[in-house]
Amino acid sequence: MPSYTVTVATGSQWFAGTDDYIYLSLVGSEGCSEKHLLDKPFYNDFERGAVDSYDVTVDEELGEIQLVKIEKRKYWLHDDWYLKYITLKMPCGDYIEFPCYRWITGEGEIVLRDGRAKLACDDQIHILKQHRRKELDTRQKQYRWMEWNPGFPLSIDAKCHKDLPRDIQFDSEKGVDFVLNYSRAMENLFINRFMHMFQSSWSDFADFEKIFVKISNTISERVMNHWQEDLMFGYQFLNGCNPVLIQRCTKLPEKLPVTTEMVECSLERQLTLEQEVEQGNIFIVDFELLDGIDANKTDPCTLQFLAAPICLLYKNLANKIVPIAIQLNQIPGDENPIFLPSDAKYDWLLAKIWVRSSDFHIHQTITHLLRTHLVSEVFGIALYRQLPAVHPIFKLLVAHVRFTIAINTKAREQLICEYGLFDKARGMDSTEDIPHYFYRDDGLLVWEAIKTFTAEVVGIYYKSDQVVVEDQELQDFVNDVYVYGMRGKKTSGFPKSIKTREKLSEYLTVVIFTASAQHAAVNFGQYDWCSWIPNAPPTMRAPPPTAKGVVTIEQIVDTLPDRGRSCWHLGAVWALSQFQENELFLGMYPEEHFIEKPVKEAMARFRKNLDTIVSVIAERNKKKKLPYYYLSPDRIPNSVAI
């Protein structure tokens, strides 16, 4: 009678093991085996992190093994089991791998295919086609779209974390509970004593050091020491935690009636302002999106205010970007003056603080929340709904949506406010015209490495553009993203379908870059750039000034966040800037969804390219007082999970 050796690997995360009964059945081309209990006498099977082997003897020849069926039945109390993979040693001595990397809950069962990636067109056997369809039918019932807020991408239909399918929940809720992380932050930062001092202003700028000096950090300390300087203000638009708003100004907007006479003391080339624009030396950041938005009214004891500034910047002869004009609201007029570097010190400083506060709001709601978290969640939901586990694109992308839906669901439970959506052409790509833009430079290196990798994987499984066009599962995935995620808007830039291998590679690069590099660039610098409260005020307690020459330091301090809100803000940016325990960084694929040698070789080349980028960035940073490391691949997590 044919005998097989079955090797079963249990996950190493907390509570991955089980005491339940585990049964295995083999489905072959010539027949199906009976159900076999996997159990060794006087042995605790399926413990966390264990790899257990069992001999299974069947009554008759099964032919080519097509499926492995695993069933879990209650022993005493139900406990979930995380199955990593099964390896089957055939009677002839060959090995077949069956990747799983899923939870089996309750009295559940799971049917696995071998680890070779297959497109739908590769499956000619009825039972495999049926398995493929059944998996998607089941997933589409579990992963449902829901409108969270009008105008936003649709999200997962789950009110709280425990409502999510078990496979996408966090391994442990403890590490991602925002309230708990805040509490840890307060303890680590020694700021508990200020936590409840709402409506209590700081006495002056130096007073903010009471909640700052406990942590030594090169960038944040440099921000504290230099935040009032125009060079530091301009630098943050290039390499701070929101380096995506600045764009080259090709024409001065009518709503900002700035003249050469106003700014000539800032211009260094003896040119008019219009000539500087023509030469490409003028840049603009317009916070128009905040115009008409109501400020947060959750605290009836504290009025809070928003502005919608327009900031004009200049590339000086040293190739540094500095501000030259700020208008704090969109409609020009006598009560909306244009503030200038030549104005009184505190007039100009308060105008810059208003810009920094506006930048903080756009960063949190658009750059960070919408454009990384929510967009990556869209990719994740569409992935689970439309691509079976055997599909090569599922295998490629699943590591890059790990815990993303879970973190967003937790955030909707505990954290988030609301805003909208935008996109702009920016004109910031010239390294000669705009040096020192490390977000762009490092981002392009990482982008090219990802694109090279995705192109290799696409080339392995899609032998022609026609195969791409005819892959209905892929097209359904792309359409799901467009219809539900991007709400069918052509302006999103996302396609309804993909017709070439090159476009598919580019699309996959967008998915992976957004979930990994883009999120890292705008998330992990938050403590560096936002912990010095005057540099990134999360709220302003007085309206923008409507005249020049009246601002005092006392007025500025009374406008900045009070002691209580400052502490909550500091705790938040500290917690958000921490890596997760057991973080997986870009290029790390410990779950072996792919078993084919060509893909594993492509992964190895990808990691080698990323290592080279790490070295390039490290070498550049040696010479920098303000190092830029957010896009160093060894600091880029694989997915949005914090």
Side-chain angles (χ1 to χ4, degrees):
M1 293 188 292
S3 181
Y4 299 81
T5 300
V6 178
T7 301
V8 181
T10 297
S12 56
Q13 58 268 64
W14 286 103
F15 312 115
T18 185
D19 290 324
D20 284 353
Y21 296 111
I22 302 298
Y23 296 90
L24 174 138
S25 308
L26 301 176
V27 179
S29 57
E30 296 179 15
C32 302
S33 76
E34 293 182 352
K35 211 160 56 169
H36 292 266
L37 175 65
L38 301 182
D39 181 55
K40 288 187 276 192
F42 310 109
Y43 178 76
N44 200 346
D45 305 276
F46 314 117
E47 287 292 282
R48 171 178 165 234
V51 178
D52 301 314
S53 293
Y54 304 87
D55 292 325
V56 173
T57 302
V58 299
D59 295 333
E60 56 188 20
E61 291 289 342
L62 300 178
E64 182 182 351
I65 300 299
Q66 297 167 335
L67 300 171
V68 169
K69 183 177 181 181
I70 296 289
E71 298 178 58
K72 185 166 76 70
R73 296 294 177 255
K74 184 169 70 171
Y75 168 67
W76 180 245
L77 296 173
H78 277 311
D79 54 359
D80 298 344
W81 178 42
Y82 189 85
L83 173 59
K84 289 174 66 178
Y85 61 82
I86 287 176
T87 302
L88 193 64
K89 184 181 179 183
M90 305 289 286
C92 64
D94 291 343
Y95 289 84
I96 306 177
E97 296 178 53
F98 294 83
C100 181
Y101 302 104
R102 291 169 59 186
W103 290 92
I104 305 177
T105 60
E107 296 213 334
E109 62 182 46
I110 198 165
V111 180
L112 303 176
R113 289 186 56 166
D114 74 77
R116 294 171 296 173
K118 298 287 186 181
L119 300 176
C121 63
D122 299 325
D123 282 340
Q124 301 302 320
I125 300 169
H126 173 72
I127 193 171
L128 297 181
K129 291 181 178 180
Q130 187 181 44
H131 175 266
R132 199 175 189 114
R133 186 64 254 166
K134 186 177 180 181
E135 181 183 10
L136 290 181
D137 287 344
T138 301
R139 289 232 214 102
Q140 285 167 10
K141 292 171 185 173
Q142 292 179 312
Y143 296 82
R144 302 174 305 277
W145 295 104
M146 178 188 74
E147 183 175 70
W148 168 54
N149 259 327
F152 273 90
L154 296 192
S155 58
I156 192 78
D157 184 4
K159 291 181 180 177
C160 58
H161 181 262
K162 65 181 176 59
D163 292 342
L164 294 171
R166 185 66 182 90
D167 286 332
I168 60 169
Q169 290 182 23
F170 284 107
D171 294 334
S172 167
E173 283 204 47
K174 260 189 179 176
V176 294
D177 186 278
F178 292 115
V179 175
L180 181 62
N181 282 352
Y182 271 130
S183 301
R184 285 179 182 159
M186 300 312 152
E187 292 172 11
N188 289 338
L189 299 167
F190 302 98
I191 56 179
N192 280 313
R193 67 189 186 279
F194 298 111
M195 282 300 302
H196 304 292
M197 298 177 69
F198 295 102
Q199 290 85 51
S200 172
S201 295
W202 301 94
S203 57
D204 53 30
F205 294 141
D207 206 20
F208 283 96
E209 292 186 41
K210 289 178 180 175
I211 61 168
F212 180 82
V213 294
K214 295 296 181 181
I215 283 191
S216 176
N217 177 288
T218 302
I219 293 178
S220 60
E221 286 187 346
R222 192 165 181 84
V223 170
M224 180 187 73
N225 292 328
H226 299 278
W227 70 281
Q228 298 188 42
E229 299 169 13
D230 288 354
L231 283 173
M232 177 62 81
F233 179 90
Y235 179 86
Q236 292 179 75
F237 284 116
L238 298 179
N239 300 308
C241 56
N242 195 20
V244 300
L245 295 188
I246 188 170
Q247 55 186 328
R248 195 187 296 274
C249 181
T250 56
K251 181 184 178 184
L252 292 169
E254 292 182 7
K255 63 183 179 181
L256 181 66
V258 62
T259 65
T260 299
E261 291 70 32
M262 290 180 179
V263 297
E264 62 184 344
C265 65
S266 299
L267 307 181
E268 299 179 352
R269 295 178 176 83
Q270 275 66 56
L271 299 173
T272 66
L273 180 58
E274 287 72 19
Q275 289 170 328
E276 295 278 17
V277 170
E278 290 173 8
Q279 291 205 0
N281 298 322
I282 303 297
F283 299 83
I284 192 168
V285 180
D286 188 350
F287 296 92
E288 181 179 20
L289 192 61
L290 294 175
D291 191 31
I293 297 289
D294 289 332
N296 195 319
K297 294 184 175 68
T298 53
D299 180 1
C301 299
T302 303
L303 289 175
Q304 299 181 68
F305 298 88
L306 289 173
I310 308 168
C311 181
L312 210 62
L313 301 114
Y314 176 62
K315 184 184 74 174
N316 63 21
L317 289 173
N319 281 327
K320 301 294 176 63
I321 301 293
V322 293
I324 60 172
I326 295 171
Q327 182 176 284
L328 293 180
N329 280 301
Q330 294 286 306
I331 300 174
D334 293 340
E335 294 191 348
N336 187 21
I338 297 175
F339 292 94
L340 308 165
S342 54
D343 290 340
K345 175 183 176 180
Y346 292 128
D347 284 359
W348 181 235
L349 181 60
L350 182 55
K352 289 192 292 180
I353 290 172
W354 268 105
V355 171
R356 294 295 308 138
S357 181
S358 300
D359 189 71
F360 176 83
H361 289 298
I362 292 294
H363 167 260
Q364 292 295 356
T365 54
I366 306 302
T367 308
H368 183 207
L369 169 64
L370 175 64
R371 297 198 137 194
T372 63
H373 278 258
L374 299 187
V375 169
S376 290
E377 180 177 359
V378 164
F379 296 141
I381 299 170
L383 183 79
Y384 281 103
R385 284 174 53 81
Q386 303 298 351
L387 297 178
V390 73
H391 197 290
I393 303 305
F394 180 91
K395 291 173 178 280
L396 175 65
L397 296 184
V398 67
H400 299 287
V401 297
R402 178 176 179 259
F403 298 150
T404 299
I405 300 172
I407 193 68
N408 289 356
T409 304
K410 294 289 286 185
R412 283 188 285 270
E413 281 181 72
Q414 298 180 349
L415 197 65
I416 295 171
C417 299
E418 50 193 72
Y419 286 120
L421 177 61
F422 79 116
D423 194 8
K424 290 180 181 179
R426 300 176 55 232
M428 298 294 293
D429 50 349
S430 172
T431 54
E432 291 184 10
D433 281 356
I434 313 164
H436 318 302
Y437 193 9
F438 307 125
Y439 161 75
R440 172 203 59 207
D441 300 339
D442 298 354
L444 285 172
L445 292 177
V446 175
W447 173 276
E448 288 302 323
I450 295 171
K451 190 171 183 187
T452 299
F453 172 51
T454 61
E456 287 191 59
V457 175
V458 167
I460 292 169
Y461 295 102
Y462 295 88
K463 298 305 181 186
S464 69
D465 292 344
Q466 191 61 30
V467 180
V468 174
V469 172
E470 293 174 356
D471 183 355
Q472 192 57 50
E473 291 169 340
L474 170 68
Q475 302 301 338
D476 289 344
F477 164 66
V478 172
N479 188 62
D480 241 31
V481 170
Y482 178 76
V483 171
Y484 297 106
M486 305 306 149
R487 311 299 290 268
K489 295 184 184 295
K490 291 183 180 178
T491 52
S492 70
F494 280 82
K496 296 183 201 177
S497 61
I498 292 178
K499 298 180 180 177
T500 68
R501 293 190 295 174
E502 183 180 356
K503 287 297 183 184
L504 174 56
S505 172
E506 184 178 297
Y507 191 94
L508 298 174
T509 303
V510 169
V511 176
I512 296 173
F513 187 89
T514 300
S516 57
Q518 184 61 22
H519 180 254
V522 303
N523 181 73
F524 292 103
Q526 291 189 77
Y527 186 82
D528 288 345
W529 297 100
C530 302
S531 57
W532 180 246
I533 306 297
N535 186 61
T539 184
M540 299 289 267
R541 294 183 295 145
T546 57
K548 294 186 180 186
V550 295
V551 177
T552 63
I553 179 116
E554 292 78 16
Q555 181 182 341
I556 294 178
V557 172
D558 286 342
T559 299
L560 289 169
D562 57 35
R563 293 169 189 252
R565 272 181 193 79
S566 297
C567 292
W568 278 104
H569 168 79
L570 189 58
V573 297
W574 183 87
L576 289 168
S577 299
Q578 307 306 303
F579 293 121
Q580 290 275 48
E581 290 181 29
N582 305 316
E583 191 75 76
L584 298 177
F585 294 97
L586 190 60
M588 295 170 64
Y589 296 99
E591 294 185 352
E592 295 191 45
H593 292 275
F594 283 110
I595 66 168
E596 295 96 322
K597 187 177 178 181
V599 186
K600 291 188 174 184
E601 290 172 344
M603 286 177 172
R605 286 188 291 272
F606 182 37
R607 284 190 290 272
K608 187 174 180 181
N609 288 342
L610 294 175
D611 289 342
T612 301
I613 296 171
V614 170
S615 300
V616 168
I617 292 173
E619 186 62 31
R620 179 200 65 210
N621 283 341
K622 286 180 184 177
K623 309 165 190 172
K624 299 295 178 187
K625 292 179 181 177
L626 275 174
Y628 186 85
Y629 45 72
Y630 310 116
L631 284 171
S632 182
D634 59 345
R635 290 172 174 258
I636 299 176
N638 250 339
S639 62
V640 177
I642 186 69

